[in-house]
Amino acid sequence: MHRYSTFIAIILTTLLLTACKPESSLLEMDEWDLVWISDSSGWGVAEVYAQMVEEDVGVQVNLFDNWIGALPAGEVLRVLNGGPTASYTLEQLAEQIKEAEIIVFYANAEQSIDENFPGDWHCIPGAKPYVNSCPDFQIYVQDLQQIYQKIFELREGQPTIVRVYDAYNPLIAKFHEFGVYEDCKSCWLAYNDAIHRAASPFGIPVAKVLEAWNGPEFDQDPVALGYTSDGIHPSEVGAERIAEAIRILGYEPVSP
């Protein structure tokens, strides 16, 4: 009986030691795979951010730069759930995420529409800006959260640095020109609030790119400041601003 009790004690001690053993730190690795997923607001930013990571952490960063023009969250979700896509870039996404130590994400709400409350607004580049009604962006929140859930499923519990960023707007001067500044400001802030709401339950840090480009009061014209190369997309200076907004969030893995 004594021998049996001793044997059980040894087994229990071994199990406790195994359970308490810390997982290997990302900082012990020599290389990190960085998967960047964004629309064209991330054009030219991934390379800048990857260099910052190498400088800060001292690891070699293998960059997978997946920016796609006008990328909607709905399409990303469909592809991660196994749906078809004409995009070779998106076809590779799930496999890249499986191996990614660090993931940066942004996608827009163009396909995340509530049929009952679709909203009627246009405050992005293109046609004349206007606002008749803002959506509540709840479908967008749901799509983003399903994407984050899928990311963590693909990572299978491995330590992962996940960062998302909110959305700048380069059209401040145009909003004033057409007399829709306050209306577009209201919708744009609601849109960005949805990005933060979606990330919050997972503990995913959100880089404040909107604040970095448009100021805390949404009254700063990023075009006048030279943040764009063409009135829409990031210049070298603008890319630095976005990358720095992500950089200051640090590199703590997310444990949802």
Side-chain angles (χ1 to χ4, degrees):
M1 186 67 167
H2 176 71
R3 291 180 180 178
Y4 180 77
S5 299
T6 302
F7 176 75
I8 293 299
I10 292 172
I11 293 296
L12 290 174
T13 302
T14 302
L15 289 173
L16 281 171
L17 289 173
T18 303
C20 294
K21 183 179 180 181
E23 62 186 1
S24 60
S25 170
L26 291 175
L27 296 177
E28 295 175 358
M29 302 177 67
D30 296 324
E31 299 182 11
W32 285 359
D33 283 1
L34 164 56
V35 173
W36 182 282
I37 311 158
S38 78
D39 68 359
S40 57
S41 68
W43 185 359
V45 183
E47 296 92 337
V48 179
Y49 179 63
Q51 184 175 351
M52 290 178 175
V53 176
E54 290 188 337
E55 292 172 358
D56 294 342
V57 184
V59 297
Q60 177 182 321
V61 174
N62 305 313
L63 175 61
F64 299 86
D65 187 359
N66 300 310
W67 77 264
I68 299 173
L71 179 66
E75 184 172 357
V76 176
L77 178 60
R78 181 171 61 254
V79 172
L80 290 182
N81 282 330
T85 178
S87 169
Y88 176 78
T89 300
L90 289 179
E91 278 185 352
Q92 311 305 306
L93 195 55
E95 291 303 314
Q96 291 174 1
I97 288 172
K98 288 180 182 179
E99 304 299 325
E101 283 72 39
I102 183 166
I103 299 166
V104 179
F105 178 82
Y106 169 77
N108 65 50
E110 289 297 306
Q111 292 184 9
S112 304
I113 306 299
D114 187 336
E115 294 181 359
N116 296 318
F117 304 100
D120 183 15
W121 69 303
H122 186 88
C123 297
I124 58 176
K128 175 182 175 181
Y130 71 88
V131 175
N132 290 323
S133 63
C134 296
D136 65 8
F137 297 107
Q138 188 56 38
I139 299 299
Y140 182 48
V141 170
Q142 293 173 12
D143 285 351
L144 291 178
Q145 291 184 338
Q146 289 182 63
I147 289 169
Y148 303 150
Q149 184 66 42
K150 192 66 180 179
I151 286 173
F152 291 118
E153 289 176 4
L154 289 168
R155 289 293 293 154
E156 296 183 332
Q158 300 174 87
T160 310
I161 302 162
V162 182
R163 301 292 182 264
V164 304
Y165 65 90
D166 60 18
Y168 69 80
N169 195 303
L171 304 181
I172 299 296
K174 192 172 184 179
F175 296 159
H176 284 294
E177 177 187 349
F178 286 95
V180 296
Y181 169 76
E182 291 295 340
D183 290 339
C184 276
K185 175 181 177 179
S186 179
C187 284
W188 201 257
L189 293 182
Y191 171 50
N192 278 271
D193 179 65
I195 295 172
H196 287 260
R197 285 192 286 126
S200 179
F202 294 90
I204 299 174
V206 181
K208 296 180 179 180
V209 170
L210 172 67
E211 183 174 316
W213 271 51
N214 295 106
E217 302 300 324
F218 195 70
D219 56 0
Q220 180 173 283
D221 183 358
V223 177
L225 292 171
Y227 291 173
T228 74
S229 60
D230 54 5
I232 300 173
H233 302 104
S235 64
E236 290 185 10
V237 175
E240 287 276 352
R241 293 288 288 172
I242 296 172
E244 186 62 40
I246 304 170
R247 181 187 206 175
I248 63 176
L249 299 177
Y251 305 101
E252 185 70 23
V254 176
S255 300

